Amino acid sequence: DDVLRLEGITKTYGAGTPAATEVLHGIDLQLARGEFVALIGPSGSGKSTLLNLIGLLDRPTGGVLRINGRDTATLDDNALTRLRGRSIGFIFQYHYLIPAFTALENVMMPELLARGSPDRAMREHALALLGQVGLAPWRDHMASNLSGGQQQRVAIARALALEPPLVLADEPTGNLDTKSADSVFDLMRHVSADRGTTFLFVTHNMALARRCDWLVELVDGRIV
Ligand code: ADP
Ligand code: ADP
């Protein structure tokens, strides 16, 4: 029933070299469906490393990482890439929208890349997602003409395009003023509750972290 389960996860950079350093020391973590969890910790504590492992962008050195019950260690790189596409949505501090594409086109992009050619169903799905983030009226505006908060809303809609059970949000409010940050946070919480999507939300904003279901704090590669 857990969307994500980590058991004894370790990560060593430069394994097998004199510079080998273990930066994650046995991480245990379970995230259930629909949970909204904050990940906090000082710079260098291992948040990016952990997020890269959970996002299937890098492999752990030791331990077990399961996504929807599936042990990822048994998968080759192609299978891992497919699992990532199906299972994980990403939201970053910078939105990484395509500036000269419209809001709607940006939201259609993951489905377009996954399935090949655009069709009416894809368009309507993207439009529904834009509606959920409150941007249906802006669907034909270029991404570059939207405000920072609006761009991050488009990025949230795009992260949901393939209906992933898990969204990794890496300081998604870090570039926004307090008011936009609050509203982007509220939107993510609403989306999570509404769709049953699990969110792991990396932030330095303690006020927002305290409003999550619970908080994971990393210090020196350990959950404290
Ligand atoms: P943040 O603190 O915002 O997470 P960092 O500066 O720690 O950012 O890391 C930015 C990127 O650089 C990450 O992808 C991380 O994996 C990489 N990185 C951090 N430290 C090192 C290092 N000592 N050697 C190589 N890459 C590193
Ligand atoms: P955070 O995101 O919390 O700032 P990171 O995961 O970026 O932490 O870094 C954790 C530790 O791992 C730091 O000591 C960093 O220098 C080191 N590190 C991160 N990426 C690399 C890398 N690619 N190669 C070597 N060391 C790295």
Side-chain angles (χ1 to χ4, degrees):
D1 171 50
D2 288 330
V3 170
L4 178 75
R5 193 180 182 111
L6 272 58
E7 291 163 24
I9 288 291
T10 61
K11 179 65 184 178
T12 300
Y13 287 116
T17 75
T21 338
E22 188 177 270
V23 301
L24 292 178
H25 317 286
I27 302 289
D28 298 318
L29 181 65
Q30 291 169 40
L31 303 184
R33 184 171 184 277
E35 281 188 320
F36 199 103
V37 177
L39 174 61
I40 64 166
S43 189
S45 59
K47 302 183 298 298
S48 306
T49 300
L50 184 59
L51 222 58
N52 286 344
L53 299 181
I54 295 172
L56 309 180
L57 299 165
D58 195 4
R59 290 179 187 267
T61 309
V64 180
L65 194 165
R66 291 177 194 278
I67 305 257
N68 276 333
R70 193 107 184 255
D71 181 356
T72 55
T74 63
L75 303 175
D76 66 18
D77 287 354
N78 287 330
L80 210 59
T81 300
R82 284 195 299 275
L83 182 65
R84 183 197 311 134
R86 274 203 309 279
S87 312
I88 303 170
F90 293 89
I91 306 170
F92 305 97
Q93 180 165 17
Y94 181 75
H95 52 72
Y96 297 116
L97 300 179
I98 302 176
F101 281 18
T102 66
L104 187 66
E105 288 165 344
N106 271 283
V107 178
M108 286 175 70
M109 198 52 66
E111 271 200 272
L112 199 54
L113 291 172
R115 300 195 225 291
S117 57
D119 60 24
R120 192 187 180 85
M122 217 182 264
R123 209 184 138 77
E124 278 170 6
H125 183 226
L127 194 52
L129 288 167
L130 268 184
Q132 191 164 26
V133 300
L135 284 185
W138 280 270
R139 65 183 170 195
D140 296 325
H141 288 236
M142 298 288 191
S144 56
N145 289 338
L146 301 174
S147 73
Q150 288 174 330
Q151 288 173 335
Q152 207 53 302
R153 284 166 179 265
V154 175
I156 292 168
R158 180 187 54 187
L160 299 170
L162 298 178
E163 311 277 348
L166 174 64
V167 170
L168 303 179
D170 192 358
E171 295 192 53
T173 63
N175 274 330
L176 302 174
D177 60 69
T178 307
K179 193 158 162 270
S180 306
D182 284 352
S183 108
V184 162
F185 179 82
D186 290 341
L187 173 65
M188 290 192 301
R189 287 233 56 164
H190 176 79
V191 159
S192 170
D194 201 48
R195 309 170 74 89
T197 307
T198 303
F199 271 71
L200 187 60
F201 169 59
V202 180
T203 188
H204 286 110
N205 183 327
M206 276 310 296
L208 294 183
R210 274 192 285 267
R211 290 171 55 199
C212 295
D213 294 333
W214 50 284
L215 240 155
V216 178
E217 185 176 7
L218 263 186
V219 175
D220 290 339
R222 290 193 170 79
I223 293 179
V224 297

